[in-house]
Amino acid sequence: MSDLFKPGPEQKFTFGLWTVGSIGRDSFGEPVRQTMSPVDLVHLLAGVGAYGVNFHDNDLVPIDATSAQRDRIVSNFKNALAETGMVVPMATTNLFSDASFKDGAFTSNDPKVRAYALQKTLNAIDLGVELGAKIHVFWGGREGTETDAAKDPLEAGKRTREAMNFLCEYVKDNGYDLKFALEAKPNEPRGDIYLPTTGAMLGFIATLDHPEMVGVNPEVAHEHMAGLNFLHAVAQAWDAGKLFHIDLNDQAFGRYDQDFRFGAVNIKSAFFLVKFLEDVGYQGSRHFDAHAYRTEDYEGVKSFARGCMRTYLILMDKAARWNADSEIQALLLEINADDGSMEAFKGSYSTAKAAALKEQDFDRQSMGSKGLAYERLDQLTVDLLLGTR
Ligand code: GLT
Ligand code: MN
Ligand code: MN
């Protein structure tokens, strides 16, 4: 593979322990790969050139570990990080696997489950911070319903808000340098999950006591499952100053939660996403929340991980070419041409401006009949992506 597409620390490419560590279990089939230890996974990731590794509390420390076992596991993991130079930018809490969370964690109707979820998250925050994490992700996979007879959506919202407010205060109380990133998903494993899109999360964050501590972790596959344009969700999050983290993968529209290798399905949307992140200067982790096909052994898992990063780097190169392509840029200039005749109507409101605007004649026919050359622009993009340009 050419050096041009060699990952480096500047891209902050990260993977979850649960991604390369996926043993390929699904609802219809048993595991197809042996479980690898967190320490071995750190070495695998370092070997393929990743920058960092993220984890759920229980990816690293089993849910029933004693505190002596926890300390030994954490110390071995720290050694592996030191040996490989890998870092832990993000940690998260598993609030979905254990049977106690079958009807949700923060939104459960059972106050004991809600309190346990809080306790588990406090411990997971401590664990993440101990290993250097600056972001704590919240993915509420079980926070939803199959029947709305079971849970009151208003109550569920209040419970989630109360939990997030409590956890923000805990972070402040302990002086941690930590922010939260909320990850939306429309469904799976629940019939419907609350706050199903990144846009819904952004609206919810504004209702918290410390909105400045909380942003989003949008995932390609999750917006695509909802039939939405991922780039638009990311742009809205960026505009709001809330793009704290991102989960990159791929997913065919309308399918189950596929979590495929980045760029495996829709190259054009992956391209515009990479171009956006590079153009705006996104500085966070580029986290691949995906896993290898179930057909693969661990060599295939490495190919999967290398592929995620390589595709990102190729698309970065394509984005630079797109920005430097004179024909594309000339078209963009033409599309965005401004003859200055509307200057008087731009900017903020004034009574005089509104009055003048009401007097202005517009040539609707010429506006409506003008061709916009988007067909040419899109084909130039396709040519560029297919390597004929
Ligand atoms: C789970 C989910 C992901 C989340 C992870 C963080 S867990 O794999 O499918 O989208 O990001 O909890
Ligand atoms: Mn997913
Ligand atoms: Mn995710």
Side-chain angles (χ1 to χ4, degrees), residues 88-370:
V88 175
M90 177 273 262
T92 179
T93 320
N94 184 328
L95 296 170
F96 45 88
S97 293
D98 193 68
S100 58
F101 298 130
K102 63 188 173 194
D103 191 28
F106 301 144
T107 66
S108 166
N109 284 328
D110 183 342
K112 290 199 188 73
V113 174
R114 297 204 296 278
Y116 172 55
L118 268 186
Q119 182 205 57
K120 196 171 190 292
T121 307
L122 297 178
N123 291 329
I125 286 175
D126 292 345
L127 178 67
V129 168
E130 183 178 347
L131 286 153
K134 298 275 189 286
I135 299 281
H136 203 87
V137 161
F138 291 80
W139 175 67
R142 298 280 174 199
E143 314 287 16
T145 57
E146 284 71 41
T147 165
D148 286 327
K151 237 188 259 179
D152 175 349
L154 262 184
E155 202 51 47
K158 284 182 193 154
R159 289 170 184 168
T160 308
R161 183 175 308 113
E162 201 175 283
M164 296 312 301
N165 285 339
F166 186 97
L167 294 165
C168 283
E169 293 297 346
Y170 179 73
V171 167
K172 288 167 81 72
D173 200 18
N174 283 276
Y176 289 159
D177 175 16
L178 186 72
K179 288 193 163 171
F180 294 163
L182 310 186
E183 178 176 346
K185 188 175 180 184
N187 57 272
E188 208 181 335
R190 297 311 296 266
D192 288 287
I193 299 178
Y194 296 122
L195 300 170
T197 63
T198 299
M201 285 298 182
L202 289 169
F204 171 73
I205 290 167
T207 72
L208 297 174
D209 289 349
H210 296 290
E212 72 287 353
M213 293 176 66
V214 186
V216 290
N217 178 39
E219 173 172 318
V220 178
H222 297 177
E223 302 293 318
H224 285 191
M225 283 173 75
L228 298 174
N229 181 313
F230 185 65
L231 173 63
H232 296 185
V234 168
Q236 189 191 352
W238 178 263
D239 182 58
K242 292 293 183 195
L243 190 64
F244 289 4
H245 200 265
I246 193 163
D247 276 1
L248 302 171
N249 56 15
D250 213 348
Q251 164 87 31
F253 282 84
R255 300 281 170 92
Y256 67 98
D257 181 18
Q258 296 180 308
D259 289 337
F260 286 153
R261 189 181 73 255
F262 182 59
V265 179
N266 192 332
I267 294 282
K268 208 208 270 182
S269 40
F271 165 71
F272 281 113
L273 173 65
V274 170
K275 183 172 135 48
F276 178 87
L277 295 175
E278 298 307 316
D279 285 351
V280 298
Y282 170 75
Q283 293 294 318
S285 293
R286 288 161 178 81
H287 175 233
F288 297 105
D289 185 11
H291 43 73
Y293 301 143
R294 195 163 173 271
T295 49
E296 304 307 293
D297 60 11
Y298 277 103
E299 278 313 306
V301 171
K302 289 184 202 165
S303 303
F304 147 82
R306 287 195 190 99
C308 285
M309 297 185 281
R310 183 172 168 81
T311 299
Y312 191 100
L313 291 164
I314 294 171
L315 293 177
M316 248 173 93
D317 176 60
K318 296 283 183 190
R321 286 169 195 269
W322 200 91
N323 288 342
D325 187 300
S326 52
E327 203 175 337
I328 290 177
Q329 292 309 313
L331 264 181
L332 286 179
L333 274 182
E334 203 179 304
I335 286 162
N336 292 290
D338 185 344
D339 66 5
S341 60
M342 295 293 122
E343 282 310 306
F345 307 125
K346 286 186 184 163
S348 47
Y349 177 85
S350 76
T351 312
K353 219 183 253 184
L357 185 54
K358 284 169 91 175
E359 291 305 312
Q360 175 73 23
D361 277 333
F362 287 98
D363 184 351
R364 284 189 298 112
Q365 257 211 327
S366 96
M367 291 192 287
S369 59
K370 190 174 149 216

Side-chain angles (χ1 to χ4, degrees), residues 271 317-319 321-323 325 328 379-389:
F271 165 71
D317 176 60
K318 296 283 183 190
R321 286 169 195 269
W322 200 91
N323 288 342
D325 187 300
I328 290 177
Q379 187 59 41
L380 288 171
T381 306
V382 169
D383 269 43
L384 193 143
L385 289 178
L386 294 182
T388 53
R389 206 177 161 74

